[in-house]
Amino acid sequence: MDDPAVDITDFYAFPSPERPGKLVLVMNVFPMATPQAYFSDVVAYRFRLRPLTRSGGNITHGTPEYTIDVTFNDLPAGNSLGIGNIATSDGRSASFVVGDPLEKDGMRVFAGLVSDPFFMDVEATIRTDMSGKLAFGKQGTNTVQFRDVLTIVVEVPITSTVESFGGSSLVGAIAETIVPRRAKPFRMERLGRPEIKNVLLGNTTRNPMGVELRDLYNKEDAFSLSREYRPLYESRIDETLAFFDGLDGEIAWPPAADGRHPMLDLLMADYLILDLAHPFAPGNFLEIERAVLGNRPHASAGGRWLDDDILDEMLTLYVNGGRGERLGDGVDGPTHPATPVFPYVRKANKRTDLPVPAFVEN
């Protein structure tokens, strides 16, 4: 609330639909941004990837790490053109002008104001959580219709990432905003899978009751949760998953032998899962996770494309395990569909007539 420039609204990761052999990472920040919104010159916008190993119904991450840091210079007085800098852990670096795409050494980068690609009926999701009943209609309202965000889009060669991971093509990816420090960076926020914090962790009436966990969760390393706070996150997410499972009056996810929800460990590993050996294809958000849960081979690159209907996918998985009707919020696409060419996001709407949603003000 105090510094929206470090507020990550969304994170996407997918093989390039335009150039096979490239990986695209997208971090969006600054909700309800305007042309007067600027990136922070204090934080680093960081992408992190680690290799994953799949064994039956489990996925574990390794310790090697590939990082991409994007920073921005302070704006000189009277100058509205921002300068950004990008540096990767395999030695690529460049400076660029905000609003202008740049290509160098097989890497592409773009940062600027764009139309928010997120789409979801947030108010209906809140009503469902509060009432204990599915409150979605056949026609929903996109809460972020015609709104804008600041985006950072980075495209890098897949080969360098896979090589740094010893040939592993299965990777976990997250986005972070951090304050760099020599000893240990201070993490402001992180994002892996969408809506883990707001949907699964946000309701403070669930165990542990009355405790706001999201600020703690933001500061945690997604690849190394603290022993002190992990049980609190697990308790809240476990209870929320049980809540969603009961919304249709049937139990799709009987508790495991230890009494925990069968999806708990998978979702606690909060990063997007991609298999870089597979080509780009839309609509495969959570495909790898569903395959892991079913102990079967996955068939796609997974990850998350800009137009993937994440709320419908999550709701159907959480409520009926994907074994019943497809559930959804009645919002099936963003304000403007993504484009298959770099930078994939769409031009900003720059609307000045959009009020803050009533449920946000309340």
Side-chain angles (χ1 to χ4, degrees):
M1 295 290 286
D2 289 339
D3 191 357
V6 305
D7 182 356
I8 304 175
T9 66
D10 245 318
F11 171 51
Y12 306 82
F14 49 89
S16 169
E18 182 184 20
R19 300 200 302 182
K22 306 289 185 179
L23 169 65
V24 182
L25 301 166
V26 181
M27 185 191 316
N28 292 337
V29 299
F30 212 125
M32 297 185 287
T34 70
Q36 288 71 47
Y38 299 102
F39 292 100
S40 171
D41 63 335
V42 175
V43 305
Y45 299 88
R46 174 172 290 179
F47 298 103
R48 298 171 63 200
L49 293 90
R50 286 196 180 186
L52 304 178
T53 300
R54 180 177 172 184
S55 177
N58 297 301
I59 284 185
T60 56
H61 63 263
T63 55
E65 188 161 292
Y66 183 87
T67 61
I68 302 170
D69 279 6
V70 179
T71 58
F72 294 89
N73 300 347
D74 189 11
L75 286 172
N79 190 348
S80 61
L81 289 178
I83 300 297
N85 312 281
I86 183 170
T88 69
S89 58
D90 62 351
R92 302 170 196 268
S93 64
S95 294
F96 59 91
V97 177
V98 173
D100 293 339
L102 174 79
E103 181 170 359
K104 182 181 178 182
D105 297 332
M107 172 181 67
R108 296 197 288 191
V109 60
F110 170 83
L113 184 73
V114 298
S115 179
D116 193 341
F118 186 65
F119 55 100
M120 177 177 170
D121 192 333
V122 177
E123 187 171 2
T125 306
I126 294 173
R127 287 200 307 269
T128 297
D129 199 13
M130 294 178 64
S131 68
K133 299 178 181 179
L134 288 169
F136 303 102
K138 292 184 178 180
Q139 185 64 46
T141 300
N142 183 11
T143 303
V144 296
Q145 183 80 356
F146 297 118
R147 299 193 184 276
D148 297 326
V149 290
L150 294 179
T151 193
I152 299 170
V153 183
V154 177
E155 185 176 283
V156 293
I158 287 173
T159 52
S160 59
T161 305
V162 173
E163 287 173 359
S164 68
F165 293 160
S168 173
S169 64
L170 194 66
V171 301
I174 62 173
E176 299 178 336
T177 48
I178 64 169
V179 178
R181 296 188 299 187
R182 288 184 181 178
K184 187 177 182 181
F186 180 80
R187 187 174 293 104
M188 301 292 292
E189 186 173 18
R190 65 180 172 94
L191 194 64
R193 296 185 187 90
E195 300 305 324
I196 294 295
K197 283 176 285 189
N198 290 335
V199 172
L200 295 186
L201 281 172
N203 191 330
T204 59
T205 66
R206 298 196 178 100
N207 191 36
M209 294 183 63
V211 179
E212 176 56 84
L213 295 176
R214 291 175 295 178
D215 291 330
L216 290 172
Y217 194 76
N218 270 331
K219 293 178 173 60
E220 294 264 17
D221 184 344
F223 295 114
S224 182
L225 293 178
S226 64
R227 290 177 297 175
E228 294 82 4
Y229 295 124
R230 182 184 179 107
L232 302 182
Y233 311 137
E234 289 182 336
S235 180
R236 176 73 56 79
I237 291 177
D238 189 70
E239 190 166 325
T240 304
L241 287 172
F243 163 81
F244 275 101
D245 190 8
L247 286 176
D248 61 353
E250 299 181 5
I251 301 301
W253 298 101
D258 59 3
R260 293 149 49 99
H261 194 284
M263 278 194 291
L264 181 59
D265 287 336
L266 185 64
L267 296 180
M268 285 295 295
D270 186 12
Y271 35 75
L272 289 179
I273 301 177
L274 300 97
D275 190 338
L276 303 181
H278 289 265
F280 168 80
N284 284 306
F285 174 65
L286 295 182
E287 191 276 327
I288 296 178
E289 285 88 340
R290 292 196 304 270
V292 171
L293 290 166
N295 198 14
R296 58 175 174 76
H298 58 270
S300 76
R304 181 185 177 193
W305 166 237
L306 292 158
D307 290 351
D308 283 353
D309 198 337
I310 58 101
L311 192 281
D312 289 17
E313 292 290 348
M314 292 190 306
L315 194 63
T316 303
L317 181 64
Y318 296 171
V319 174
N320 63 33
R323 295 180 287 274
E325 67 172 308
R326 181 176 173 85
L327 304 173
D329 61 348
V331 182
D332 299 322
T335 303
H336 305 292
T339 172
V341 296
F342 189 85
Y344 311 110
V345 289
R346 291 290 191 173
K347 291 183 178 180
N349 301 286
K350 298 182 181 179
R351 292 282 292 269
T352 59
D353 59 338
L354 301 174
V356 175
F359 73 89
V360 173
E361 291 186 319
N362 295 332

